[in-house]
């Protein structure tokens, strides 16, 4: 049995919000990932099947690696279709905010969204959400926003509307936000939800291969280089650090999404339980952190890297140079492990002369 974790009063209000409007905009965080796209598109399909004029507006382009996504052609991308985005937002009567917890996560799109005089519904699984929503379906214990969208559909009595396309979208989010059913999926109900999704006869293997196991040759070479040449280990502190500069990224013809799962790789080493990846972007350093077990990286990202996220998977933006971001990482080591010699790290392999 899949339990009703969203309280009935919330579901009732959501139903009345939806019944009372026609034009609905659904948005998600910048650099949308499998869960952001899966949850927004799935909800959009359901609302359209209910006869609503629903549109997904993303802050920026999804990475090339997610172009396979079912239903992606309909997406309104703010950085690409700004006029259209402005138009649909100005006409919106209801706004859904999916897979993010704060307006900071939607970049410049926030300038358009914040002044809107419409009701806002949050559906999200990140820690510490803003409290600026009329309905908050915030469950940090959930595997993914796709799980929560499934639960919303189920509790609204709309499961019969979940067709193959909707189920395919949900499957990709359930899959990618759990690292291929590896973490954040201890709740047995997760597998009941998965079973319900699979009953829609989705192309499970095809979607798995596209979402989890498709990389360009450049991306594979970049990941190989990063692990072989750039991974620093700090076994005493259970830590790993990988950095990639703009110059290194350009050398491998970097496209967004090419380093998506790189930060997880050092966690394969038994003594490493937290991992940091620093990537030099045009105007900032993008920070990605992952951990295993009882070690919070969301706290680290909030305190040192202007970000946050989940207990075991978090990120942030560091304003400064790559060297300064590395110095911030060393500061984390010094603060968290004051008794260790934090300079005694294993240096990345240097090229032999
Ligand atoms: P990733 O490392 O894949 O970019 O992000 C992992 C998780 O960290 C995301 O699901 C999100 O919760 C969080 N995250 C990533 N970047 C940021 C950021 O800049 N700010 C905040 N608050 N959270 C972030
Ligand atoms: Mn998510």
């Amino acid at each position: 049995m899949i339990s009703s974790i969203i309280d009935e009063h919330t579901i009732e209000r959501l139903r009345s919000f939806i019944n009372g409007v026609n034009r609905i905009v659904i948005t998600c965080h910048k650099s949308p990932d499998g869960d952001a796209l899966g949850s927004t598109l799935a909800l959009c399909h359901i609302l359209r099947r209910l006869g609503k004029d629903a549109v997904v507006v993303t802050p920026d382009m999804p990475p090339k690696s997610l172009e396979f996504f079912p239903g992606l052609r309909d997406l309104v991308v703010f950085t690409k279709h700004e006029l259209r985005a402005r138009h649909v937002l100005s006409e919106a009567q209801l706004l859904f905010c999916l897979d993010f917890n704060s307006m900071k996560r939607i970049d410049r799109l926030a300038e358009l969204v914040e002044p809107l005089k419409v009701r806002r519904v949050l559906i999200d699984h990140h820690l510490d959400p803003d409290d600026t929503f009329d309905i908050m379906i915030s469950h940090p214990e959930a595997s993914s926003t796709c799980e929560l969208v499934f639960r919303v559909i189920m509790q609204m009595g709309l499961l019969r509307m979940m067709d193959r396309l909707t189920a395919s979208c949900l499957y990709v989010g359930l899959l990618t936000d759990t690292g291929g059913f590896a973490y954040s999926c201890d709740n047995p109900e997760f597998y009941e939800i998965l079973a319900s999704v699979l009953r829609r006869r989705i192309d499970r293997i095809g979607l798995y291969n596209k979402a989890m196991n498709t990389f360009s040759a450049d991306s594979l070479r970049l990941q190989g280089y990063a692990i072989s040449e750039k991974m620093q280990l700090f076994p005493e502190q259970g830590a790993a650090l990988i950095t990639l500069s703009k110059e290194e990224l350009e050398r491998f013809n970097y496209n967004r999404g090419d380093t998506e799962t790189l930060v997880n790789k050092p966690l394969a080493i038994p003594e490493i339980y937290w991992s940091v990846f620093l990537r030099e972007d045009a105007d900032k350093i993008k920070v990605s952190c992952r951990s295993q077990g009882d070690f919070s990286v969301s706290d680290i990202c909030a305190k040192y890297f202007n970000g946050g996220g989940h207990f075991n998977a978090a990120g942030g933006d560091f304003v400064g140079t790559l060297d300064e971001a590395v110095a911030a990482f060393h500061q984390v080591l010094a603060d968290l492990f004051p008794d260790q010699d934090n300079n005694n790290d294993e240096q990345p392999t240097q090229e032999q002369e």
Side-chain angles (χ1 to χ4, degrees):
M1 253 285 277
I2 304 171
S3 51
S4 298
I5 65 168
I6 307 163
D7 71 79
E8 271 314 308
H9 175 65
T10 300
I11 292 290
E12 219 21 79
R13 281 184 75 215
L14 182 57
R15 191 175 284 125
S16 84
F17 281 16
I18 293 172
N19 285 343
V21 300
N22 183 36
R23 293 184 300 280
I24 301 176
V25 169
I26 307 160
T27 190
C28 63
H29 59 78
K30 65 181 173 184
S31 303
D33 58 6
D35 189 34
L37 287 179
S39 58
T40 51
L41 290 168
L43 181 64
C44 185
H45 297 318
I46 293 283
L47 292 171
R48 286 183 183 176
R49 297 199 78 190
L50 287 174
K52 303 295 171 185
D53 179 359
V55 184
V56 176
V57 178
T58 61
D60 58 359
M61 284 290 284
K64 260 191 154 36
S65 53
L66 291 176
E67 271 174 7
F68 71 89
F69 231 99
L72 206 70
R73 270 159 304 156
D74 286 357
L75 217 64
V76 177
V77 178
F78 175 64
T79 50
K80 196 171 161 206
H81 318 115
E82 182 163 341
L83 283 180
R84 172 118 181 87
R86 284 183 183 278
H87 177 72
V88 293
L89 278 166
S90 68
E91 299 265 290
Q93 297 167 308
L94 178 62
L95 180 74
F96 279 91
C97 298
L98 265 54
D99 202 34
F100 66 94
N101 53 357
S102 148
M103 289 297 167
K104 278 197 300 209
R105 298 279 289 136
I106 63 172
D107 253 10
R108 274 188 54 224
L109 189 58
E111 293 164 24
L112 263 63
V113 162
E114 273 174 330
L116 290 180
K117 301 258 178 298
V118 296
R119 284 172 164 153
R120 292 145 206 244
V121 181
L122 176 84
I123 306 180
D124 179 49
H125 68 135
H126 292 95
L127 297 163
D128 307 322
D130 289 352
D131 57 3
T132 53
F133 301 92
D134 298 281
I135 291 183
M136 290 185 64
I137 300 176
S138 167
H139 288 265
E141 79 285 6
S143 64
S144 53
T145 302
C146 278
E147 172 182 333
L148 294 173
V149 167
F150 177 95
R151 289 180 182 278
V152 167
I153 295 169
M154 180 192 80
Q155 287 194 234
M156 288 184 72
L158 297 173
L159 271 186
R160 67 188 186 288
M161 300 269 188
M162 188 176 72
D163 57 5
R164 190 166 182 255
L165 184 59
T166 310
S168 300
C169 293
L170 292 176
Y171 174 72
V172 176
L174 294 170
L175 175 69
T176 55
D177 253 29
T178 57
F181 311 134
Y183 43 79
S184 311
C185 52
D186 286 338
N187 182 351
E189 291 190 6
F190 176 86
Y191 300 91
E192 296 184 56
I193 292 170
L194 194 55
S196 175
V197 164
L198 291 178
R199 280 195 194 95
R200 269 60 180 186
R201 301 191 176 283
I202 61 169
D203 175 16
R204 187 189 69 79
I205 294 175
L207 289 170
Y208 180 93
N209 281 332
K210 287 179 192 141
M212 301 294 291
N213 210 12
T214 301
F215 298 97
S216 67
D218 279 330
S219 160
L220 276 185
R221 291 203 169 92
L222 175 59
Q223 293 182 62
Y225 166 77
I227 292 169
S228 157
E229 310 288 324
K230 301 301 308 285
M231 182 173 73
Q232 284 179 268
L233 299 178
F234 304 82
E236 306 270 296
Q237 297 88 350
L241 173 68
I242 297 176
T243 65
L244 287 173
S245 69
K246 243 187 285 182
E247 184 276 314
E248 288 168 318
L249 295 164
E250 279 163 17
R251 209 187 312 158
F252 290 89
N253 304 313
Y254 173 77
N255 272 307
R256 244 168 6 107
D258 280 356
T259 53
E260 185 71 31
T261 53
L262 180 62
V263 63
N264 291 298
K265 299 287 194 273
L267 298 178
I269 303 164
E271 57 270 38
I272 301 303
Y273 57 85
W274 63 292
S275 166
V276 177
F277 171 44
L278 303 174
R279 191 190 72 219
E280 189 181 14
D281 271 1
D283 52 351
K284 60 175 191 296
I285 309 300
K286 181 69 204 151
V287 183
S288 275
C289 290
R290 297 291 184 275
S291 66
Q292 278 168 341
D294 191 21
F295 185 89
S296 167
V297 281
S298 67
D299 291 347
I300 292 176
C301 286
K303 184 161 174 206
Y304 297 87
F305 297 116
N306 191 29
H310 310 286
F311 193 87
N312 293 130
D317 291 334
F318 181 88
V319 181
T321 65
L322 191 51
D323 285 345
E324 286 164 351
V326 171
F329 167 81
H330 281 277
Q331 190 58 54
V332 179
L333 288 183
D335 291 351
L336 294 187
F337 305 94
D339 299 333
Q340 306 280 359
D341 174 5
N342 290 304
N343 290 316
N344 190 20
D345 57 304
E346 185 184 305
Q347 291 302 320
T349 322
Q350 298 297 313
E351 275 183 26
Q352 302 293 312
E353 301 239 319

